[in-house]
Amino acid sequence: RAFLSGPPPNDDLAAATLMTGGAVIGTNINATKQPGEPAHAGAVGGWSVWWKFTPAVAGRLAAATHGSAFDTVLAVYRTQSATPSFADLQLVGANDNADDSRNTSRVAFTAELGWTYYFAIDSASDATGAVSLNVATPPPNDDFADRTPILGSSFPLVRTGHNTQASREPGEPIHAG
């Protein structure tokens, strides 16, 4: 295991690691909180790391921290500034403890062309360690408003799909307990 003597390379907003989608891994060991940095998802934190992403096409995206080694918080911001400060960032969404999992935080949002999206991952407690950020397209019927009708008159009705990067909407019940 490598010993880190300083902060990770993406410790500061200005040094956010560029990502193209998919999954990235890193660490928040020795990370710091910058002066003026917001409390991501309401957590005071202090060990934030940053990634940035500029979409090539507009559409729904979901970002999640599943696979991280500690209780994460996730905040997604957007800006059109090439060299943003915290004052330039617009909050898109933030989360702590998605789907009743302490180590996973998740934000689903609609990405628009012309914007760069910044992902801040911080600790909800004093923990540090391996960080995982996964950005993908959620299923088209992720939200109740976009549900897929099941049509047909013969049984069994067979439909296929997936729930990869699917989310629970605010107020959505916990199904089957």
Side-chain angles (χ1 to χ4, degrees):
R1 186 156 60 165
F3 175 76
L4 295 176
S5 61
N10 58 340
D11 181 37
D12 293 341
L13 172 65
T17 300
L18 178 65
M19 63 183 304
T20 57
V24 294
I25 56 171
T27 181
N28 74 335
I29 295 173
N30 296 328
T32 61
K33 184 169 187 161
Q34 295 174 260
E37 183 173 343
H40 310 296
V44 174
W47 302 270
S48 61
V49 286
W50 294 84
W51 281 269
K52 65 181 177 179
F53 173 72
T54 302
V57 296
R60 293 287 294 164
L61 288 177
T65 62
H66 58 80
S68 295
F70 58 91
D71 186 3
T72 61
V73 295
L74 171 66
V76 180
Y77 302 91
R78 72 180 191 167
T79 185
Q80 291 180 318
S81 173
T83 55
S85 68
F86 293 119
D88 298 320
L89 299 180
Q90 297 175 9
L91 180 64
V92 173
N95 180 255
D96 181 16
N97 300 339
D99 305 324
D100 300 325
S101 171
R102 290 188 60 221
N103 288 8
T104 299
S105 298
R106 186 177 187 288
V107 175
F109 61 99
T110 300
E112 298 178 50
L113 294 176
W115 293 89
T116 298
Y117 292 84
Y118 284 80
F119 304 92
I121 299 176
D122 205 340
S123 176
S125 61
D126 290 337
T128 60
V131 172
S132 179
L133 175 62
N134 309 275
V135 179
T137 304
N141 59 344
D142 184 33
D143 294 333
F144 182 77
D146 299 320
R147 62 195 175 275
T148 303
I150 299 176
L151 306 172
S153 58
S154 62
F155 288 94
L157 293 175
V158 177
R159 300 293 182 263
T160 60
H162 67 88
N163 65 352
T164 303
Q165 289 290 35
S167 63
R168 182 181 314 143
E169 291 181 85
E172 181 176 346
I174 298 174
H175 306 286

